[in-house]
Amino acid sequence: MTNVVNLKIDGKEIRAPEGMNLIDAAELAGIHIPNLCYLKGLKGIGACRLCLVEIEGMKAPMIACTTKVKEGMVVNTRTEKVQEVRKFVIDLILSMHPLDCMTCTKAGVCNLQQYAYDFELKESSFTRKSFGFAPDTANPFVKRDPDYCVLCGRCVRVCKDQDTNVLEFMGRGVGSKVTTANDKPLQESGCTFCGSCVDVCPVNALLEADRWRKGREWEYEKVSSVCLLCGNGCDISVSTKDGQVMKVNAGAVEGSTERYICAYGRFGFDCIEADSRVTAPMKRVNGEFKETTWDDAIETAVNALKKAGKNAGFISTAKMLNEDALTLKRFASEVVKTKNIDTTVSLYGDADTLISGSADLETADLFVLVDLNPSQWNRILPALDAIIRRRVNAGAKLIVINSSEPAIASIATVSLIEDEASAVMSLTKALMDKGITVD
């Protein structure tokens, strides 16, 4: 059980878990400590210096994202000294940042814009600087514009955390920028276009490529939903305007550090209104799909099911409602007389586990992958791949059992290349021999 400490922040009594940093502890009491570089769930790096706070008994201000709570600590987050430092930092950043807020797509959700407003800064008091970095617009998914970058490092860190390892800093000092290896366009860098960098960017340096003039943030109606393109079932946030989907973002639930959705889940919503959508039944004729009538399609399916009998198998999408899934199950068992029925939700885990919520991959310290090859690059359960890689980077162990050697085996603690069934049977016997059983 985690120990709890008592401290005071801006006069409020707070109880926080031991080891928590001051930014998260203040959040428990509804107190926001300004920051640009901190990412919840990752270790603080103190890059932006906006989160400086004063702690009674300390001679100099401390960085809140790297300072852990202690029993009896008294913290002040808005003293004249720290506010002066914060205003100086924002003022300096503005001297190197485009001030086109009136037409900027990120207006309304830009952290820099908010802090400039808080400190009443309309423009910088320093000499304006412009580096003239060329934007990366060569792909249809993510636009990178280094001129807007505030060098917070969030995108670099989230990319490394999920082991995609595409973005990195290049250069030194204020003239440095975030880019790819050899400064190549994203599509030549091994990028999977998951867009995690877009979600964590606090300014307009990283953005969906097609967002220009598709509405402002305050015009969007945002709905929390679940992506159903594969069995991962990732949380998403869908932004709509005038009844049309404008963008999809990773929709981490409150308190979660999950920020990943794959390129299909983030950018694949264009299929909703695509001209190529199938609107009539299709039947294979001489090796090609041809449109047919519903009566003909149903008759063809009936004849095939009659011929297959108990050897027929049903695999449905996880998009189905529970009532529809029950209907399909009864149809398979009572009409077709087969027990072969499943849904894509099985790709992610046992249904009872998913429903009960007892499988918390974000806190797991051991993963055992048997005959499974999740991959961000091949988009096979990509979110699972990202979660496992993130947890392994945090110290978790990975055991891979596979007759071949999947890419994820490169980060495994143990990789067993042999027949999966035989390996599992051997492991089961070894556990039983040691008197280890599972209830």
Side-chain angles (χ1 to χ4, degrees):
M1 185 175 181
T2 305
N3 293 328
V4 176
V5 299
N6 299 282
L7 68 156
K8 186 180 291 187
I9 301 180
D10 290 347
K12 291 186 177 182
E13 299 285 349
I14 297 175
R15 289 170 54 82
E18 188 177 30
M20 177 177 281
N21 65 54
L22 287 176
I23 287 184
D24 289 342
E27 189 178 281
L28 296 176
I31 298 171
H32 174 68
I33 298 178
N35 68 87
L36 286 173
C37 68
Y38 178 62
L39 275 175
K40 190 176 180 67
L42 295 184
K43 186 179 179 180
I45 58 174
C48 68
R49 288 303 193 268
L50 278 179
C51 67
L52 287 174
V53 296
E54 288 197 290
I55 302 174
E56 290 189 8
M58 305 296 289
K59 293 182 179 180
M62 301 294 291
I63 301 170
C65 67
T66 60
T67 302
K68 309 298 183 184
V69 297
K70 291 183 179 180
E71 181 67 37
M73 181 182 279
V74 178
V75 182
N76 293 293
T77 71
R78 298 181 63 83
T79 65
E80 184 177 345
K81 180 185 292 187
V82 297
Q83 289 292 81
E84 183 181 350
V85 172
R86 289 172 186 162
K87 184 173 183 177
F88 173 84
V89 171
I90 297 300
D91 193 359
L92 188 61
I93 292 175
L94 289 179
S95 72
M96 299 174 278
H97 193 85
L99 300 181
D100 57 346
C101 297
M102 288 186 291
T103 56
C104 180
T105 306
K106 271 286 186 75
V109 292
C110 172
N111 292 16
L112 180 61
Q113 182 189 56
Q114 181 61 51
Y115 293 144
Y117 175 85
D118 292 342
F119 291 112
E120 302 180 26
L121 291 169
K122 294 183 179 180
E123 56 185 43
S124 177
S125 63
F126 296 97
T127 302
R128 296 283 300 161
K129 305 174 188 65
S130 178
F131 298 100
F133 293 128
D136 177 5
T137 59
N139 71 85
F141 303 113
V142 177
K143 176 185 177 182
R144 283 192 307 129
D145 196 334
D147 268 352
Y148 286 87
C149 182
V150 294
L151 302 178
C152 67
R154 284 185 177 184
C155 57
V156 175
R157 298 182 69 209
V158 76
C159 194
K160 288 182 179 294
D161 185 50
Q162 64 192 37
D163 217 24
T164 314
N165 296 318
V166 170
L167 298 176
E168 187 55 274
F169 285 104
M170 182 180 76
R172 300 177 64 86
V174 295
S176 60
K177 71 172 183 176
V178 172
T179 186
T180 63
N182 298 319
D183 205 19
K184 291 183 177 180
L186 282 175
Q187 74 272 17
E188 299 176 20
S189 67
C191 178
T192 64
F193 295 101
C194 66
S196 296
C197 55
V198 173
D199 282 341
V200 301
C201 181
V203 290
N204 195 40
L206 288 157
L207 195 70
E208 296 90 352
D210 63 347
R211 278 287 307 286
W212 176 244
R213 293 186 60 78
K214 283 194 171 182
R216 315 304 290 270
E217 286 288 339
W218 54 83
E219 297 179 295
Y220 291 156
E221 179 182 350
K222 298 187 178 182
V223 179
S224 296
S225 188
V226 176
C227 179
L228 296 172
L229 289 178
C230 79
N232 267 126
C234 299
D235 292 319
I236 58 175
S237 176
V238 182
S239 297
T240 62
K241 180 177 181 288
D242 299 329
Q244 292 186 314
V245 176
M246 294 297 169
K247 65 169 182 166
V248 174
N249 297 97
V253 295
E254 189 68 28
S256 171
T257 58
E258 174 59 46
R259 305 180 183 90
Y260 183 93
I261 53 175
C262 72
Y264 290 155
R266 186 180 297 272
F267 301 110
F269 62 85
D270 58 348
C271 66
I272 297 174
E273 299 188 28
D275 294 336
S276 59
R277 285 192 68 176
V278 176
T279 57
M282 306 290 284
K283 182 178 180 180
R284 192 182 296 278
V285 179
N286 297 325
E288 295 184 9
F289 278 116
K290 303 288 185 180
E291 282 195 13
T292 187
T293 64
W294 278 105
D295 288 340
D296 181 44
I298 292 173
E299 183 179 355
T300 301
V302 168
N303 291 335
L305 288 172
K306 280 183 178 179
K307 184 177 180 180
K310 65 179 180 180
N311 293 322
F314 293 81
I315 301 177
S316 77
T317 172
K319 296 178 182 179
M320 297 184 76
L321 297 175
N322 288 337
E323 293 82 356
D324 294 336
L326 178 61
T327 301
L328 178 61
K329 181 178 180 181
R330 293 186 62 182
F331 173 74
S333 61
E334 298 175 16
V335 179
V336 183
K337 307 297 183 182
T338 181
K339 296 180 180 180
N340 304 322
I341 181 169
D342 204 350
T343 75
T344 54
V345 76
S346 299
L347 294 172
Y348 193 63
D350 178 73
D352 293 335
T353 300
L354 291 173
I355 294 170
S356 66
S358 58
D360 191 355
L361 300 182
E362 289 292 337
T363 59
D365 56 12
L366 173 64
F367 294 86
V368 181
L369 288 185
V370 181
D371 193 21
L372 196 61
N373 182 17
S375 171
Q376 299 174 55
W377 296 268
N378 296 327
R379 297 192 176 95
I380 302 171
L381 295 178
L384 179 61
D385 180 76
I387 290 172
I388 292 174
R389 290 175 183 274
R390 183 161 56 246
R391 290 300 302 150
V392 169
N393 283 334
K397 306 297 182 184
L398 171 63
I399 298 173
V400 173
I401 302 174
N402 205 304
S403 55
S404 60
E405 189 172 13
I408 200 169
S410 64
I411 63 167
T413 307
V414 176
S415 178
L416 301 178
I417 304 177
E418 58 179 291
D419 177 72
E420 296 87 356
S422 299
V424 172
M425 290 176 63
S426 298
L427 286 174
T428 302
K429 183 178 183 304
L431 289 171
M432 294 176 65
D433 291 344
K434 291 181 177 292
I436 301 174
T437 59
V438 179
D439 296 329

